[in-house]
Amino acid sequence: MKKKFKKPKIRLSTLTIVCIGIAVTAAVAICVSLFSAVYSRSILRDASVNSEQAVSQTTVEVSNYLDGMKDKLEKINAQMTRSKSIEEFTNNIEIAAELQNDIYAIIVYDEDGNVLNSVSESGNIRNEIHHDLSFDKSIFEKSKDYILTPPHVHTLYDDSYPWVVTIAQKEYQSLYKKNIYIAIDFKFSEIAKYIDHVGIGRHGYCYIMDEKGNIVYHPQQQMIYSGLKEEDNKEVCKLKDGVYPEKNKIYTIKTTQDGRWRIVGVHYTEELRTERHTQIFTGIVISLLCCTIIAIVMLLVFSKIVNEPVRELVRAMKSFEEAADSFEYEAPQQSATELQVLSDSFEHLVKQTKQLMEQVRNEEIILRKTELKALQAQINPHFLYNTLDSIQWMCEQGNDDDAVKMVGALAKLFRISISRGHELITIRDEIQHAQSYLIIQSFRYRNQFEYSFNVEEELMDCLCNKITIQPLIENAIYHGIDRMVDEGEINITVKESDDNDILIIVEDNGVGMTEEQCKKILSKERSDSCGIGVKNVDDRLKIYFGEKYGIQIESELDVGTKVTVRIPKLRKEPENEA
């Protein structure tokens, strides 16, 4: 036969906590996943927008700077046209250089790069010029419009090496009677400062490159020249203006208005990831905290509405199991409909069960009374048969006086036995009943036994079952002393036990019995034709007082028998047993 699988038991409160915990965890996990995905896209989009805005603004600033340089170059060219002599032109450009803080030098070159005129805040030109970075003949000759050089160190003047960018334009008719180049060296520090301060994210930056991919200016230019940093300008140069998210970077490219320079913004996505993780972690902590607070509130509400009423109902059921007789239950008002139905049903169950128990109890009382009457009816004919047999024997022997006394004792004995219908009589009456019986038996067993009574006076008014001692004396005479050769002795003792019960002891010095015979006497069926007196008394005591009370037999062969009756100490008969 297969064993049935026993389902594990779990408390309702534990189940509630587990379910809400799983629900909260799942909700938080889903929310975090959605939040992470949406937030990641949002951060990447915002980073792209911020990068584009920063690069666009930088492009505008650089374009304005270039336009300003072109405008100042055009004004210098106009001075050349308006001036009537080289001296006047020199004087005019000196004033212009002095007024414009961003102009470092104004230089006039011939087509071979020789300096024809120069104005600078640094003073005189060097006597020996090894290499003039402001004039690149290959660039100057190829340019059809104005010329713009990459930033470089100015090397024409003594003790001054500023970082400049040169803008120049060729003039075919001039005061110098030949083709010349008018070049202005602008301090690049202003635009460099602006580029240095452009921040994209925490570590992002902008740099300038020309249309061929050469770096014009980079905030980390020294690291690039020393090989500590590289920019992938070949690939970047191929890209059109726009935003290009790469693996670890976001490139944003914008071209200046004249198309000569391109502004490149670099935004590191790694810092976005770190920021995203930090903010997601913060979001998770806040979400968990909020969910925990909500879960605790839900648990408290659920516990108040469901768990606590269920626990109260379980406690009430356990109390009902332990003490159904005295248990009272009134269904409280519940918030949950199902719990209200359960409480009402349990209240109805308790009331019906108590009614049934009361009915069963009443039926048991009636049954007990019926059994007691049946047992009483059973013992009286038995005793009457034995007594009449003795009287008959006396009459046959011609002992009429003793027979008359015996009949008188029998009448007195039956008067006490009737006891006006009461099952319980005083021990005083029960002792008198036993004495009447012993008087009757003494006539039949002359000089065969002696008897004595030892009764505590304070117990005489206590109650006991009627016809309790007489069957025990009868049993001692017929089965103990009658078989003896020597004179027998019967002692009746009534005393109080240590546990406040009453002990009635009938002790003889008869032939005695074995342990098996003692057990057999108390196990006889009521239908047995002999030896039913002791069993009858034991049954009546147990029916009336309970299994704790009754008869105990102790016996030893050729020594005697001791029968102890235990009854409760009562002074008033119970009303339901009257």
Side-chain angles (χ1 to χ4, degrees):
M1 184 177 177
K2 290 185 178 179
K3 271 190 174 181
K4 285 187 178 180
F5 177 73
K6 190 175 181 181
K7 292 183 179 179
K9 295 181 180 178
I10 185 170
R11 295 177 65 89
L12 180 60
S13 56
T14 305
L15 182 62
T16 302
I17 293 172
V18 170
C19 290
I20 292 180
I22 292 173
V24 169
T25 304
V28 170
I30 293 171
C31 291
V32 167
S33 300
L34 293 175
F35 173 76
S36 178
V38 172
Y39 187 70
S40 297
R41 288 195 294 270
S42 175
I43 283 184
L44 190 61
R45 184 175 61 251
D46 292 345
S48 300
V49 171
N50 292 337
S51 179
E52 186 177 14
Q53 290 176 347
V55 172
S56 296
Q57 185 175 354
T58 304
T59 303
V60 170
E61 291 293 329
V62 173
S63 296
N64 291 337
Y65 185 78
L66 292 176
D67 289 341
M69 291 169 61
K70 287 169 60 179
D71 184 60
K72 291 173 183 178
L73 178 61
E74 289 174 358
K75 289 180 179 178
I76 296 298
N77 289 336
Q79 290 289 343
M80 170 72 74
T81 304
R82 288 196 298 269
S83 297
K84 296 179 179 180
S85 64
I86 294 175
E87 289 78 7
E88 184 181 352
F89 173 68
T90 301
N91 186 46
N92 289 334
I93 61 176
E94 284 179 352
I95 294 172
E98 187 177 352
L99 293 175
Q100 300 295 329
N101 293 328
D102 56 344
I103 294 176
Y104 176 72
I106 301 174
I107 305 170
V108 179
Y109 293 100
D110 62 14
E111 291 183 312
D112 294 325
N114 298 313
V115 177
L116 302 179
N117 196 356
S118 69
V119 174
S120 174
E121 62 183 31
S122 296
N124 299 323
I125 297 177
R126 291 182 181 183
N127 294 327
E128 294 184 4
I129 301 173
H130 299 288
H131 184 57
D132 185 2
L133 298 178
S134 296
F135 183 87
D136 189 337
K137 190 173 183 179
S138 60
I139 296 176
F140 277 48
E141 288 179 348
K142 292 178 182 179
S143 177
K144 296 180 181 180
D145 194 4
Y146 70 90
I147 300 138
L148 184 65
T149 66
H152 57 275
V153 177
H154 200 284
T155 57
L156 287 179
Y157 298 98
D158 292 327
D159 301 326
S160 181
Y161 304 96
W163 189 254
V164 297
V165 61
T166 302
I167 186 171
Q169 192 172 8
K170 191 174 184 179
E171 291 289 334
Y172 294 96
Q173 295 180 354
S174 66
L175 296 173
Y176 294 93
K177 308 299 181 181
K178 57 181 177 178
N179 296 331
I180 61 172
Y181 294 99
I182 298 177
I184 302 177
D185 289 328
F186 285 91
K187 299 175 184 177
F188 198 71
S189 58
E190 296 297 324
I191 193 66
K193 286 180 182 178
Y194 183 83
I195 296 295
D196 289 342
H197 286 86
V198 173
I200 303 177
R202 293 184 180 179
H203 303 98
Y205 53 86
C206 281
Y207 68 93
I208 305 173
M209 70 176 182
D210 60 21
E211 65 272 13
K212 295 180 181 179
N214 299 314
I215 292 178
V216 175
Y217 178 75
H218 197 291
Q220 301 171 5
Q221 200 152 309
Q222 292 182 352
M223 295 179 66
I224 292 175
Y225 288 156
S226 61
L228 299 177
K229 183 177 179 61
E230 292 183 358
E231 292 287 356
D232 194 4
N233 287 327
K234 290 183 180 180
E235 296 298 326
V236 174
C237 185
K238 297 176 184 178
L239 301 175
K240 296 181 180 180
D241 288 3
V243 180
Y244 301 93
E246 300 292 336
K247 183 177 180 181
N248 296 319
K249 298 177 182 178
I250 298 175
Y251 284 105
T252 305
I253 304 171
K254 292 284 184 181
T255 303
T256 57
Q257 291 179 359
D258 60 3
R260 292 177 181 265
W261 287 354
R262 304 186 77 188
I263 310 300
V264 181
V266 180
H267 195 164
Y268 290 102
T269 56
E270 184 64 32
E271 67 185 30
L272 293 178
R273 217 175 280 117
T274 303
E275 181 181 358
R276 179 181 62 197
H277 290 164
T278 302
Q279 293 179 346
I280 288 176
F281 177 76
T282 304
I284 291 173
V285 171
I286 294 173
S287 300
L288 283 175
L289 184 61
C290 294
C291 289
T292 301
I293 294 172
I294 294 171
I296 290 173
V297 173
M298 287 177 62
L299 281 172
L300 291 175
V301 173
F302 193 84
S303 177
K304 186 70 176 176
I305 295 176
V306 178
N307 287 358
E308 187 59 33
V310 169
R311 284 194 290 267
E312 289 293 335
L313 190 58
V314 170
R315 284 194 289 268
M317 289 179 175
K318 287 183 178 178
S319 299
F320 179 60
E321 290 177 357
E322 293 171 357
D325 289 345
S326 59
F327 183 77
E328 296 290 341
Y329 182 77
E330 183 176 352
Q333 293 297 319
Q334 305 288 358
S335 301
T337 304
E338 291 79 3
L339 288 176
Q340 187 66 57
V341 172
L342 284 175
S343 296
D344 293 340
S345 299
F346 182 62
E347 180 183 5
H348 180 68
L349 173 66
V350 169
K351 290 179 179 178
Q352 282 216 328
T353 302
K354 293 189 73 173
Q355 290 175 359
L356 290 173
M357 290 177 67
E358 185 65 26
Q359 182 180 344
V360 170
R361 189 181 296 109
N362 293 333
E363 290 176 354
E364 285 182 349
I365 291 172
I366 294 172
L367 178 61
R368 183 166 62 182
K369 287 181 178 180
T370 304
E371 287 184 344
L372 287 172
K373 289 178 181 178
L375 289 172
Q376 185 65 44
Q378 184 183 38
I379 194 171
N380 288 341
H382 179 69
F383 167 72
L384 180 60
Y385 169 78
N386 290 332
T387 304
L388 291 177
D389 184 60
S390 297
I391 294 173
Q392 181 185 2
W393 179 81
M394 286 182 180
C395 291
E396 288 175 356
Q397 295 293 323
N399 195 351
D400 296 335
D401 293 336
D402 289 342
V404 171
K405 292 179 182 179
M406 194 171 182
V407 170
L410 179 62
K412 188 176 181 180
L413 184 144
F414 270 96
R415 179 179 58 79
I416 296 174
S417 297
I418 294 171
S419 302
R420 291 178 296 177
H422 291 283
E423 171 62 24
L424 296 181
I425 62 174
T426 62
I427 292 178
R428 188 185 306 279
D429 289 340
E430 180 64 16
I431 293 297
Q432 188 177 3
H433 181 273
Q435 287 173 343
S436 297
Y437 176 76
L438 284 169
I439 290 171
I440 293 171
Q441 295 294 57
S442 295
F443 284 106
R444 181 175 179 183
Y445 297 94
R446 288 186 183 274
N447 301 320
Q448 195 169 344
F449 68 88
E450 292 181 356
Y451 61 88
S452 64
F453 287 87
N454 181 19
V455 182
E456 294 181 3
E457 184 62 31
E458 61 270 18
L459 301 178
M460 292 293 280
D461 293 324
C462 293
L463 301 180
C464 70
N465 288 78
K466 63 184 177 181
I467 316 178
T468 296
I469 302 176
Q470 178 267 324
L472 306 182
I473 297 173
E474 179 183 358
N475 192 72
I477 294 172
Y478 287 162
H479 301 288
I481 296 174
D482 190 35
R483 302 176 186 179
M484 291 177 58
V485 176
D486 298 329
E487 185 179 24
E489 185 179 344
I490 300 174
N491 297 314
I492 298 95
T493 304
V494 180
K495 64 179 182 178
E496 186 175 355
S497 66
D498 295 336
D499 52 359
N500 205 33
D501 285 335
I502 295 176
L503 301 180
I504 300 174
I505 302 170
V506 178
E507 194 171 6
D508 66 69
N509 62 344
V511 296
M513 295 180 288
T514 63
E515 187 176 349
E516 290 75 15
Q517 288 175 316
C518 294
K519 291 179 180 178
K520 187 176 180 181
I521 289 175
L522 293 177
S523 62
K524 283 180 177 291
E525 296 294 332
R526 295 175 190 173
S527 59
D528 289 351
S529 60
C530 61
I532 62 172
V534 177
K535 170 65 174 170
N536 185 295
V537 173
D538 187 58
D539 287 342
R540 285 189 298 128
L541 292 173
K542 283 180 167 51
I543 289 173
Y544 206 90
F545 298 121
E547 292 296 321
K548 174 184 175 182
Y549 301 97
I551 291 177
Q552 179 182 1
I553 301 176
E554 301 175 40
S555 185
E556 186 177 350
L557 289 174
D558 298 328
V559 175
T561 302
K562 178 182 178 182
V563 179
T564 303
V565 178
R566 177 181 290 270
I567 60 173
K569 189 175 181 180
L570 298 175
R571 293 189 180 273
K572 183 179 179 182
E573 186 174 1
E575 293 181 1
N576 61 345
E577 299 297 343

